[in-house]
Amino acid sequence: MKILILGAGKMGSFFCDLLSFEHDVAILDPNPQRLRFTFNCRRFSSMDEVRDFAPDMVLNCATVRYTLEAFNQVLPHLPERCLLSDIASVKTGLPEFYASCGHPFVSSHPMFGPTFASLSNLSNENAIIIKEGDGLGRAFFKQLYSDLHLHVEEYTFAEHDETVAYSLSIPFASTLVFAGVMKHQSAPGTTFKRHLDIARGLMSEDDFLLTEILFNPHTTSQLSKIRTQLAELEQLIENKDSEGMKKYLNRVRGNLK
């Protein structure tokens, strides 16, 4: 299969390395400096090269801020039956785009990123494939992710957004609150340092990505749950309610099973 990858960032380069040994892969990036770190593939910097390549599939690995823009730029240069695919963690606008683009599509979300995951060992990571996509496209990515030993779930676009609000918005918001009250520690403990590493990793992410994930329409309800838990914990602490705290801790342990 001839596959065109949009974006030579960390995820684009990862998928290029992954796919290029079994497929004819080209990677397109407007920044030629990024193409220096790609191997075993064609390196494109113009749309004329895309037209001549005539890909069977486009894998959009542009950052979430430019996902739709990248699709719209390349769309006029693609064969009619070219399969469009994305790995965006935020699907805002994509269902509408796919409904009107005139191409078959498959959308997925590898639930790991270059900041925290070890891309050489993904056996404990997960991936989501969107149910609304093309059947053959879904089968392709299911096989690809299974070969990486990822746990794969299939959700609708709506179910995906709900899952992201729970699995990303809650830890993102909690980490932002932790970092928001941060002050310098001369001798931090182990737990503090682990939280600090997570906070630094999160803050190294693109601001637009963080904003779009937190602006998920389902995030507000998740933040409400955090406020409820904080209020309960604050009351227990203020009252020095040992028995209540024991019950609270046992309930939390039960959630972690």
Side-chain angles (χ1 to χ4, degrees):
M1 184 188 299
K2 296 204 299 188
I3 301 174
L4 173 66
I5 295 175
L6 304 181
K10 291 180 179 178
M11 292 303 286
S13 298
F14 168 74
F15 276 96
C16 180
D17 290 342
L18 185 64
L19 295 167
S20 61
F21 290 97
E22 295 186 16
H23 302 278
D24 185 358
V25 172
I27 190 162
L28 172 69
D29 196 292
N31 183 356
Q33 295 297 318
R34 285 186 170 185
L35 297 174
R36 294 183 304 165
F37 305 107
T38 55
F39 303 94
N40 199 36
C41 67
R42 307 173 191 237
R43 305 176 189 182
F44 291 168
S45 57
S46 76
M47 293 300 172
D48 289 338
E49 293 171 297
V50 171
R51 190 185 300 274
D52 293 339
F53 183 54
D56 301 302
M57 180 173 76
V58 170
L59 175 55
N60 192 336
C61 294
T63 58
V64 67
R65 186 174 190 174
Y66 299 108
T67 301
L68 289 173
E69 181 180 337
F71 268 143
N72 285 319
Q73 287 180 349
V74 77
L75 203 59
H77 308 277
L78 300 178
E80 182 178 344
R81 294 301 300 167
C82 180
L83 177 70
L84 303 185
S85 63
D86 75 90
I87 58 167
S89 54
V90 176
K91 303 298 185 184
T92 304
L94 282 168
E96 296 80 7
F97 169 79
Y98 285 133
S100 62
C101 71
H103 286 261
F105 76 91
V106 58
S107 183
S108 70
H109 180 187
M111 298 286 285
F112 57 87
T115 300
F116 295 115
S118 171
L119 298 182
S120 61
N121 181 14
L122 299 171
S123 58
N124 293 319
E125 305 294 344
N126 304 286
I128 294 172
I129 297 174
I130 302 300
K131 290 180 180 179
E132 287 97 332
D134 175 79
L136 291 177
R138 297 201 317 272
F140 176 87
F141 278 94
K142 189 169 186 177
Q143 184 62 57
L144 180 67
Y145 291 147
S146 295
D147 288 344
L148 292 172
H149 306 292
L150 294 168
H151 172 71
V152 180
E153 292 284 348
E154 293 198 52
Y155 295 156
T156 64
F157 276 117
E159 289 169 340
H160 169 270
D161 289 349
E162 291 176 7
T163 299
V164 167
Y166 176 76
S167 64
L168 293 182
S169 294
I170 285 181
F172 280 20
S174 301
T175 300
L176 286 172
V177 170
F178 167 78
V181 298
M182 183 71 59
K183 64 179 182 179
H184 176 70
Q185 296 287 315
S186 299
T190 301
T191 302
F192 185 92
K193 287 191 289 185
R194 288 178 178 175
H195 279 275
L196 185 59
D197 287 341
I198 292 173
R200 285 172 173 162
L202 180 68
M203 299 314 298
S204 71
E205 296 283 4
D206 178 74
D207 286 358
F208 187 88
L209 172 64
L210 297 178
T211 301
E212 287 298 291
I213 288 174
L214 290 169
F215 282 2
N216 183 316
H218 300 282
T219 296
T220 303
S221 63
Q222 301 298 336
L223 293 181
S224 178
K225 295 177 183 178
I226 293 176
R227 288 196 299 270
T228 299
Q229 292 295 315
L230 282 174
E232 182 179 357
L233 184 59
E234 183 179 13
Q235 192 68 37
L236 290 169
I237 294 170
E238 185 175 336
N239 295 335
K240 294 183 171 55
D241 183 354
S242 299
E243 188 61 31
M245 179 63 79
K246 183 178 180 180
K247 292 179 180 179
Y248 181 83
L249 294 175
N250 285 335
R251 190 172 78 233
V252 171
R253 289 190 181 97
N255 291 344
L256 297 175
K257 290 181 179 178

